[in-house]
Structure formats: structure tokens, C-alpha cells
Amino acid sequence: VEIADTSWSGEGTEASPYIIDTAEKLAGIAAMCKSGEAGFEGKYFRQVGNINLSGLEWFPIGYEMGEQFWGKYDGGNYQISGMLIVEDDRFSGLFGINKGIVENVNLINSKITFTGVYAGGIAAAVEGSGSGVIRNCTANCTIEYVSLNDGTKGLRQGGIAGYAYSGTRIENCTNYGSMISNDSNANDVGGVIGWTEGATITGCVNYGTILVAGKYSGGVAGSLNSGAKVINCINYGNVFSEGFAIGGISGYVNASNITNSINKATIKADNRAGGIAGRCEGDYGKDYKANCVIENCATYGFIDVVNGIHPVSGLVGEWIHPQGYKLIITNCSAVVDSNFSDFQPFFGGSEADSVVVSSCYSVVNNIKRYSDGDFAGFGLVEGMNNGLPLQKELFWAAEFGEVVDVSEFFSGWTLVTK
């Protein structure tokens, strides 16, 4: 902030936005938010060239409560490189708390080490129902939680955002950065979002490796809560955790939905691992009450567990605490290998009476099983998926040809009614 320059050209309007072309002018936004002089509600910023933050210790834009950024920042698809945040204990990211719109930002060659609760490459937290948005952004930022060994829990760490409140959106974003923590108290880590309550995550991709010691970690999200939605997302980043409830898309899912999403990475956990979700719950401990829904999803890869006494599954590792609600799994597939002898095809846990599985199949260590259901939504595509059926909805950007009823394909497979 000491280098801040607020001599922006432009008027801050949509037609004449404030122009950001240097590190100093970018820091000027952070300085104005920190001083309390402006949150920039209704103001527009546009980046017009690459910005190098190397040599600076970055102070986030909208560092804490009362200093949030409310404006619109358009990165113009230019790069911001060399961001460094060291042992920060508040809201760590390019933006701290974003209640406005951040779009078209490409963050590269950056690193955050944090000792606090929230960290994300683009923003530590996204707030503001209907106003907080991150879209069309990429992040290549290594984020590492550093424990102070004082009992403090590091929480909510994501490649794009650490925390997203109800009604906010993260759209068409890609993460390449690794998430790292060696503290078993550090939970809720995701390739895109660490923790959300009611946000919508759409069209996002994770390539970053997740290497953590705590619970609730996933390729796209650490924890989804209270009506959160993940739609059209893909994970390519391996997820390794010494904790439990680890999933290819989300570690933990509470009364939330995952739709049209694919995991193509290795999942390794101490226990409770799933190709899509590590653990799902009904309304346990939450005011928001709804079913958990996993629909039109697929997972491919290897699932490894260290402690074999807890549930492991191709789709949902464990379903518990239904509280009168259901886990609904529809039009999903799992083609995986595992070292776990009691691997379940679709879900794990002891609450089978509150689970509905339809039109799903699982191939685990070449053991082939399928559920009841109408497989008309699947198609056989030559040269893809080793001849196994594919859900047409999964390949939303691909052109298929005719989709056929492939129920006869399962002749000789084992039918699993639950």
C-alpha cells in the first residue's frame, strides 16, 4: 500500500473506467479500500496491460470486514504476475473480500502463505448475494497454510476463492495452483473454492494438486453447504489428504447439488473417499434443509485409502445423518481402480434406506455393476471411454450422433439395487 498511486485516468464509469496499468495503480485500489475512503460501489476499473508485482509484498484489495471491494474490476485478460503474500492472518488473495465483480484476471507465478482462516488466489472471500461474482479468471498461485501451533484452525482455502457466501457466483474459472497444508486442523480445501454456503460454481476447471492433512478436500470444492451448486466442472488435479471425507469434486456436501461434473484424477485419503464426493449429509447442523443430489457425473482414475475401516465408493464415499432427506444419485458412472477390498460401487455408509440410485454404473478393478433405471440418456461413442457408455449430458460441448438405449449393454453385469 505504501507504493499506492491513485492517479487513475478515467471517470470510474462503465463508459470511462479507471485505467490500471501499473502495480502502483493496482495497489491504489487496496489503499483506498483500507483507508475506508472508498469501497468503489458502482465504480469500474479496467486493466490495460500486464502487471508485475515481483519485489512487493502484496496487500489484498478489501483486506477485511468494513474494507470490502464493491466495484467491478475487468482484468482485460492481461496477466498479473509475481504476487507474494507472506504469513497473512486475515483475508489473503489478490482481493481480500470481494462484494463486486472481478473478471478476466489471469494471475500467474504467485504464492500465498497464510496463518489465518481464508485464502484464495483471486479472492479470499466472495460476499454479497447477487453482487459478488468472480468470472473468466485463471489462477496459478501456490497457496500454503502455515500453522502457528497455537490451536488456530486454518480453514477455507481455494485456488480461486477461499469462501463464497450465499447467492454469489464463480463462473468459467480455471486453477493451476497447488493447495498445501501439513496441519490436520486445516480443513475445507478445494481446487476452485474452499467453502461455500449457497454459492453457484459453474464451468470451472482445476488442474492444481491438493496436498493437505485435514478433512473435507476436493478437486473443485472443499465443502458445499446449504443449497450450493457445482455445475459443468472438471477436476484434473490429484487430491492427497491425511484426513477424511475427500472427493474428486467435493470433499463434503451438505444439502447441495453436483451436476454435469467429471473427476479425472487420483484420490488418496485416510478414509471416507469418493470419486465425486467424500461425504454427503442431509440437514445435519444446518438451517437449510434439502436433499443431496449427484446427477450426470462421472469419475475416472484411482482411489486409494490408508484406513480401510470406513466407507469408500466410486461416487459418494459416505452418506450419513439424512434427517428425513435423501441422497439422490442419477445418471452417473465410476470407472476406477482401488486398493480397497470392500469398495462400494455407488455410495458408502449405513443409511441405504434414504438413498436413491438410478441409471448408474460402476467398474471398479474390472468388477462391473449397474443400478436400476432408464439408460436412454446414455450413448455408446466409438473410440471414447474404452467402449463403455457415456452420459450425453457430461459432454456438453461435444457433438454425439444418435443416443441409444444401452440397457442391453449390461448383459452379464451385476445388478445392484442400492
Side-chain angles (χ1 to χ4, degrees):
V1 176
E2 290 74 11
I3 63 163
D5 178 2
T6 58
S7 62
W8 311 302
S9 61
E11 300 176 355
T13 64
E14 185 173 9
S16 178
Y18 292 130
I19 298 302
I20 304 298
D21 54 5
T22 67
E24 291 78 9
K25 290 180 180 178
L26 185 63
I29 307 175
M32 292 288 282
C33 287
K34 180 174 175 54
S35 69
E37 294 181 56
F40 299 106
E41 186 170 4
K43 298 298 183 181
Y44 292 76
F45 294 83
R46 182 180 299 157
Q47 186 176 328
V48 296
N50 294 333
I51 293 176
N52 189 346
L53 300 178
S54 297
L56 306 174
E57 187 172 330
W58 179 248
F59 190 90
I61 299 169
Y63 183 57
E64 58 185 337
M65 296 293 184
E67 302 174 6
Q68 298 98 322
F69 177 77
W70 288 80
K72 180 177 181 179
Y73 188 90
D74 182 352
N77 292 315
Y78 290 101
Q79 295 177 349
I80 297 175
S81 61
M83 181 185 76
L84 177 64
I85 299 176
V86 179
E87 294 191 4
D88 186 57
D89 64 353
R90 297 293 180 91
F91 292 84
S92 305
L94 180 65
F95 289 78
I97 306 174
N98 170 49
K99 298 189 79 166
I101 298 174
V102 178
E103 62 183 4
N104 306 323
V105 171
N106 296 311
L107 180 68
I108 66 169
N109 299 331
S110 296
K111 183 174 182 179
I112 297 170
T113 59
F114 76 111
T115 59
V117 178
Y118 308 102
I122 302 299
V126 189
E127 292 185 351
S129 181
S131 65
V133 178
I134 299 175
R135 63 189 176 210
N136 302 331
C137 293
T138 65
N140 193 339
C141 176
T142 299
I143 303 178
E144 181 173 4
Y145 174 70
V146 178
S147 174
L148 297 178
N149 297 316
D150 61 356
T152 301
K153 288 186 177 182
L155 299 169
R156 299 164 187 174
Q157 172 182 347
I160 300 297
Y163 188 116
Y165 287 76
S166 178
T168 60
R169 307 192 310 275
I170 300 176
E171 302 170 342
N172 303 322
C173 292
T174 302
N175 174 60
Y176 297 94
S178 296
M179 306 292 108
I180 302 170
S181 170
N182 63 1
D183 189 333
S184 61
N185 288 318
N187 308 319
D188 302 321
V189 180
V192 174
I193 178 72
W195 194 97
T196 179
E197 185 175 85
T200 300
I201 317 300
T202 307
C204 293
V205 182
N206 175 58
Y207 292 95
T209 297
I210 297 173
L211 183 60
V212 295
K215 63 183 179 180
Y216 303 157
S217 296
V220 173
S223 293
L224 300 173
N225 298 273
S226 304
K229 298 177 182 177
V230 169
I231 305 168
N232 291 0
C233 292
I234 303 178
N235 175 53
Y236 295 100
N238 294 333
V239 185
F240 301 131
S241 175
E242 297 174 13
F244 69 88
I246 311 303
I249 299 297
S250 183
Y252 176 78
V253 181
N254 176 277
S256 297
N257 297 0
I258 301 175
T259 306
N260 284 12
S261 295
I262 306 174
N263 171 59
K264 291 191 172 185
T266 293
I267 309 300
K268 183 176 182 179
D270 181 75
N271 62 82
R272 297 180 178 93
I276 299 298
R279 168 185 274 184
C280 291
E281 298 193 27
D283 66 334
Y284 185 69
K286 301 290 181 181
D287 294 330
Y288 186 95
K289 305 181 192 315
N291 297 326
C292 281
V293 179
I294 311 294
E295 184 177 22
N296 302 333
C297 291
T299 185
Y300 310 93
F302 186 81
I303 300 179
D304 183 21
V305 291
V306 176
N307 186 342
I309 65 172
H310 292 295
V312 183
S313 165
L315 296 172
V316 175
E318 181 181 41
W319 165 246
I320 60 172
H321 302 133
Q323 302 292 308
Y325 293 87
K326 294 183 181 297
L327 170 63
I328 300 173
I329 307 174
T330 306
N331 285 4
C332 293
S333 59
V335 182
V336 299
D337 290 321
S338 177
N339 66 339
F340 187 51
S341 59
D342 192 26
F343 196 104
Q344 299 301 306
F346 307 123
F347 71 97
S350 59
E351 302 286 354
D353 289 345
S354 57
V355 179
V356 177
V357 180
S358 63
S359 304
C360 295
Y361 74 84
S362 170
V363 183
V364 181
N365 297 335
N366 294 316
I367 298 173
K368 300 178 178 180
R369 290 172 282 194
Y370 73 107
S371 72
D372 288 321
D374 178 5
F375 288 89
F378 285 70
L380 290 174
V381 183
E382 185 177 356
M384 298 179 68
N385 202 32
N386 297 318
L388 294 170
L390 289 170
Q391 303 97 306
K392 65 178 181 179
E393 294 89 346
L394 280 176
F395 291 82
W396 50 88
E399 294 185 5
F400 261 80
E402 185 177 0
V403 176
V404 297
D405 185 343
V406 298
S407 56
E408 292 185 2
F409 177 89
F410 296 106
S411 176
W413 288 43
T414 301
L415 173 64
V416 179
T417 57
K418 274 294 184 182

